[in-house]
Amino acid sequence: MNEQNENLQTSAKPLSPREVLHQTALKAPNQSGVYMWRNEGGTIIYVGKAKNLKNRLTSYFSGNKDIKTKLLISRARSIEYITTGNEYEAFLLENNLIKQHNPRYNICLKDGKSYPVLKITKEKFPRLYKTRTVVHDGSIYFGPFPDAAALDTFIETLYEIYPLRHCRKFHEKSSACLYYHMGKCLGPCCKKTDNSTYSEFIGEITSLLEGKEDTVKKLENQMREAARELNFEKAARLRDGLKALSIMQNQNIVEGFDQSDRDYIATWREGELVSFTILKIRGGKLLGRDNYRTLSMNEDTELIPEFMSAYYTEKEIVPPSIYVVSKDGTEFMKRWMKECYGLDIEIIPVDETEGMRMHKAAVNMAQQNAREDIVRRVRERGDFPAMEELKKELGLEKLPVRIEGFDIAHIGGKFPVASLISFYNGNPDKKNYRYFRLRTTDGLIDDFASMKEAVSRRYTRLLNEGAEMPDLILIDGGIGQVNAVDSILQTLGLDIPIAGLAKRDEEIWRPHTSKPICLPKRSDGLRLLQRVRDETHRFATSRNQELRTKENTVSPFTKLPGVGPKRDVLLMKKYGTLESLAATSEADIAQTLGIKADAASDILISAKNLYRQQQEKQNAQKASLGMPGTTKEKAAKFKINHDLAAEALLEVASPEDDA
C-alpha cells in the first residue's frame, strides 16, 4: 500500500519543461523529417530537419551543450515533428516552413551592409570626407566603396598630396591654424589663398575619383606636361594621386580569375549570432559584398545551405558557380536550384589544392568580412551571452560586467612589467588600462611574486580611494598564480572572484581547487576569457618592448659623473663596454678624455660600482630560476640556467608551471 501511494505521489509530480521536451524527443521516430520548437505562446521559434528525428532531437539533451542550444531549450515548451520519405524532402519542407513562419532562431536575412561613399561638399572651399549618409544638398558623392579601410587610406593620401582644409565648419579667422603652418592646408579661412588655386585641386581630385580610362590618361598627360614645364610640384601631386587611386581600386577588386560569374559565401558565428558574407564576382572582378546578420540555432554544417535557400530568391541573381567552405548540403542545393529555377549550377567546396588557391583566398576574404561584422555587433550590444555563461559555470554571485585581467612580461627578468586591462560588458575599456613597472622582482624571474606585487598595488589603491571593485579577476596562468593572487586578496580583506586561464589546454582554474573547469571550445564564456587573456598579454608585451628599446638606446657611460654626449662617444669608441672601462686605469681614462686625474678617478670608481651592481643583479637573476613561480620553459627560453633548461626538455610542466 505504501509503495502504491509512493508511486501515485511520484506520478503526480509535474515534469519540468525541459523534461517534457526530452520525453518528446525520446518518443520521436527513427526516420527523416522536420521538427518545430514552439515557445510558451505556441509560436514556432525554430525549424530544423533531420535524417533521423529521434537521434537529432535527443542530441539536444545529451552532453555539455553550448549557449545557443541551452538558450533554445530554455525558451521552448513543446516540440512537433513531421516525417518525410527522405532527407531531401525534409530539406524542402524545412525551407517552406521557415518562409511560412519566419522563426526567430532560423535565418531571417538582415542586410548588414552600409557601404561608405566619399563626399565633396558644395562650399566655396570644399572639404572631402567619408560618410554613409547621402544628403541631396548639392554635394558631389563618389562610391559606394565596399572596402571602407581602403577608402580611409585613399582619403589620407589625398590630404597628404593636397593641402585642403580639415575643419568641419568654415569660419574666417585672423590667424591660421597648425595645419597651415605644417603645410597641410592653404589657409583659406584667413585668406592665405584664392579660390582658383583651391578649385584646381578639387578639380584634380574629382577627375581622379571619376576613374574613367580616358580621365586617367588625361591626368597622366597633365602630369607629363607639368614635368616638361618644370612644374614638378603639380606633376608629383598627380603622380601620387594616380598611385593612391590604383591602390584603392586594387584593394576593392579581386582579379586574376577567369571572366565567368561566381559567388563566394562564408559565415562566422558567435553563439546564436551568425553573419554571412557573399562576394559577387562578375566579369572577373569583385563588384560588391553583401553582409547579412541573423540569429540561428542550426548546426554549423547546415548554415550555408539554409542561407542559400533564403538568399537566392530569384533565378536572375544565381551565378553559374558558387564557392563555399565545405561540401555539407551542396548536393541538396544543386538539386533544389534545378527543381526551383531549372538551373544546372556548380556549388564547389574549396580545398588546399594548387588549383583552388585563388578561390580559397576569396572564401577566406568573405569569412574575414563575416567575422568583422560579428565583432562589430558584439561590441555594440555587449557580450551578455558570454557573461551569463561565466556567471553560471564559474559559480559567480553576479554577472561579470567588469573583468580585470593581469599578465607579466619580462625578458630574462629584465624590465618586468605587469599589465592590467579592463573589459566592461564584454568589450575592452581602454581608458581603464594600466601597467605597473615592478619593483620587487626587477632582475629576478619570479612570476608568482610579480603577480602578487601587481595585484597588491592595484587593489590597495582602489581600497584607499573607495573605488568600485571588479566583478572578476582573470590571471594568465594556472592554479599556482591563482592561489598567489588569492592570498593577497585575503590579506586585503577583499572577496573578489578569481579565475586563471592556462594556455596549454585552455583550462579555467579557481582558487584552491584540484580540478579545472573545462568549457566547450565554441563556448561564449571561454571566448570572452580568451579575449581578456590575449589583450593582457599584448598590452604587457608592448610595454616591456618600449622599456627594452629605451634601455638599449641609452649608453651606460652617460650614468657616470661628468660624462655627457661628447665624452660618451669617446668612451664608447675606446672601451665599448662598462666591463672594459672598469678594468682600465685612471691614467688611461684621463688621456682618452683629456681630463684631470681626479675627474678620471671619479669616473673609474663609478664605473666599477656600476659594473658590480650589474653583476650582482645577474647573479640574483640566475638564482631566482630555482625559486617557486619560475617555469622551466622560461629558463630554456632565456638560456640562463642550463640545468633547468635541460630539465624542461625532459619533464611535462604541471598546471602550476603553466604560464
Side-chain angles (χ1 to χ4, degrees), residues 607-642:
K608 289 181 178 180
N609 289 335
L610 189 59
Y611 178 64
R612 186 179 68 254
Q613 291 172 12
Q614 287 185 355
Q615 290 297 105
E616 290 174 353
K617 197 171 184 180
Q618 281 186 4
N619 292 333
Q621 179 182 337
K622 291 180 181 180
S624 73
L625 283 168
M627 297 178 182
T630 303
T631 67
K632 301 178 182 66
E633 289 75 11
K634 287 181 179 175
K637 179 179 179 181
F638 302 130
K639 300 178 182 177
I640 297 175
N641 187 309
H642 295 289

Side-chain angles (χ1 to χ4, degrees), residues 139-240:
S139 300
I140 303 173
Y141 294 89
F142 293 93
F145 298 96
D147 192 333
L151 178 58
D152 287 335
T153 302
F154 180 63
I155 292 174
E156 288 174 9
T157 304
L158 288 180
Y159 272 108
E160 288 292 328
I161 300 169
Y162 295 95
L164 305 177
R165 72 179 181 90
H166 294 250
C167 49
R168 291 192 175 186
K169 292 185 179 180
F170 182 80
H171 298 292
E172 291 191 357
K173 303 175 184 177
S174 58
S175 59
C177 67
L178 182 61
Y179 284 112
Y180 172 78
H181 295 292
M182 293 170 61
K184 294 186 177 296
C185 177
L186 291 175
C189 59
C190 51
K191 299 180 181 179
K192 298 290 186 181
T193 185
D194 56 23
N195 191 33
S196 60
T197 304
Y198 201 97
S199 297
E200 180 185 357
F201 291 165
I202 296 297
E204 290 178 6
I205 293 170
T206 303
S207 298
L208 275 171
L209 287 163
E210 286 176 354
K212 298 177 182 177
E213 189 174 346
D214 56 345
T215 305
V216 172
K217 289 182 179 178
K218 179 183 175 183
L219 291 173
E220 289 175 346
N221 291 333
Q222 289 181 13
M223 177 183 67
R224 295 188 186 96
E225 172 122 3
R228 280 195 295 270
E229 294 175 355
L230 306 182
N231 189 351
F232 298 118
E233 186 176 346
K234 181 177 180 179
R237 279 201 319 269
L238 292 172
R239 178 202 63 199
D240 294 342

Side-chain angles (χ1 to χ4, degrees), residues 348-396:
I348 308 164
V350 298
D351 55 36
E352 301 295 336
T353 59
E354 181 63 26
M356 282 282 181
R357 187 173 59 85
M358 294 297 291
H359 303 300
K360 178 74 171 176
V363 169
N364 288 343
M365 182 193 299
Q367 191 172 57
Q368 179 63 23
N369 277 265
R371 179 184 180 277
E372 290 300 324
D373 182 60
I374 289 291
V375 169
R376 184 165 55 250
R377 175 57 178 155
V378 168
R379 189 182 301 120
E380 291 168 358
R381 73 171 186 178
D383 209 345
F384 289 102
M387 291 187 289
E388 290 276 7
E389 185 178 10
L390 288 177
K391 179 187 176 190
K392 178 183 177 182
E393 299 295 339
L394 302 186
L396 307 179

Side-chain angles (χ1 to χ4, degrees), residues 249-481:
Q249 289 175 333
N250 287 336
Q251 286 179 328
N252 281 310
I253 297 175
V254 176
E255 297 180 345
F257 298 100
D258 59 47
Q259 299 302 302
S260 62
D261 297 343
R262 63 197 68 210
D263 287 345
Y264 295 89
I265 303 176
T267 182
W268 193 272
R269 89 177 306 156
E270 293 289 353
E272 61 176 349
L273 190 63
V274 185
S275 181
F276 298 90
T277 295
I278 179 167
L279 304 179
K280 296 175 172 293
I281 305 294
R282 301 295 182 264
K285 294 182 179 179
L286 173 59
L287 298 187
R289 178 208 65 185
D290 288 341
N291 221 97
Y292 296 91
R293 188 190 306 139
T294 186
L295 300 175
S296 178
M297 290 295 183
N298 231 332
E299 295 299 314
D300 288 352
T301 56
E302 298 176 347
L303 287 175
I304 295 295
E306 186 182 2
F307 169 76
M308 291 172 66
S309 62
Y311 180 80
Y312 292 112
T313 56
E314 299 175 7
K315 176 180 179 180
E316 290 71 23
I317 67 172
V318 182
S321 302
I322 301 172
Y323 284 82
V324 294
V325 177
S326 71
K327 66 178 182 180
D328 296 305
T330 55
E331 293 302 320
F332 285 164
M333 287 311 304
K334 285 195 282 188
R335 182 175 171 182
W336 181 72
M337 292 283 187
K338 177 68 174 177
E339 293 179 1
C340 285
Y341 303 127
L343 297 174
D344 287 314
I345 69 166
E346 287 187 292
I347 302 178
I348 308 164
V350 298
D351 55 36
E352 301 295 336
T353 59
E354 181 63 26
M356 282 282 181
R357 187 173 59 85
M358 294 297 291
H359 303 300
K360 178 74 171 176
V363 169
N364 288 343
M365 182 193 299
Q367 191 172 57
Q368 179 63 23
N369 277 265
R371 179 184 180 277
E372 290 300 324
D373 182 60
I374 289 291
V375 169
R376 184 165 55 250
R377 175 57 178 155
V378 168
R379 189 182 301 120
E380 291 168 358
R381 73 171 186 178
D383 209 345
F384 289 102
M387 291 187 289
E388 290 276 7
E389 185 178 10
L390 288 177
K391 179 187 176 190
K392 178 183 177 182
E393 299 295 339
L394 302 186
L396 307 179
E397 293 184 1
K398 60 180 181 177
L399 209 63
V401 175
R402 172 76 65 184
I403 302 176
E404 290 191 346
F406 288 87
D407 190 20
I408 306 297
H410 59 81
I411 295 296
K414 294 184 68 176
F415 316 117
V417 172
S419 69
L420 162 69
I421 65 99
S422 180
F423 269 51
Y424 186 75
N425 277 342
N427 291 304
D429 182 21
K430 295 195 174 183
K431 67 179 182 295
N432 284 309
Y433 282 22
R434 302 286 186 273
Y435 68 84
F436 302 91
R437 180 71 190 271
L438 300 176
R439 304 162 184 155
T440 59
T441 56
D442 192 9
L444 307 179
I445 304 179
D446 189 338
D447 286 357
F448 290 3
S450 298
M451 194 68 76
K452 283 183 176 181
E453 179 187 341
V455 171
S456 176
R457 288 168 61 182
R458 168 64 174 172
Y459 297 112
T460 299
R461 178 169 183 171
L462 291 189
L463 271 175
N464 293 336
E465 294 176 350
E468 186 179 359
M469 297 292 175
D471 303 308
L472 177 66
I473 298 173
L474 181 71
I475 306 301
D476 180 17
I479 187 64
Q481 284 90 339

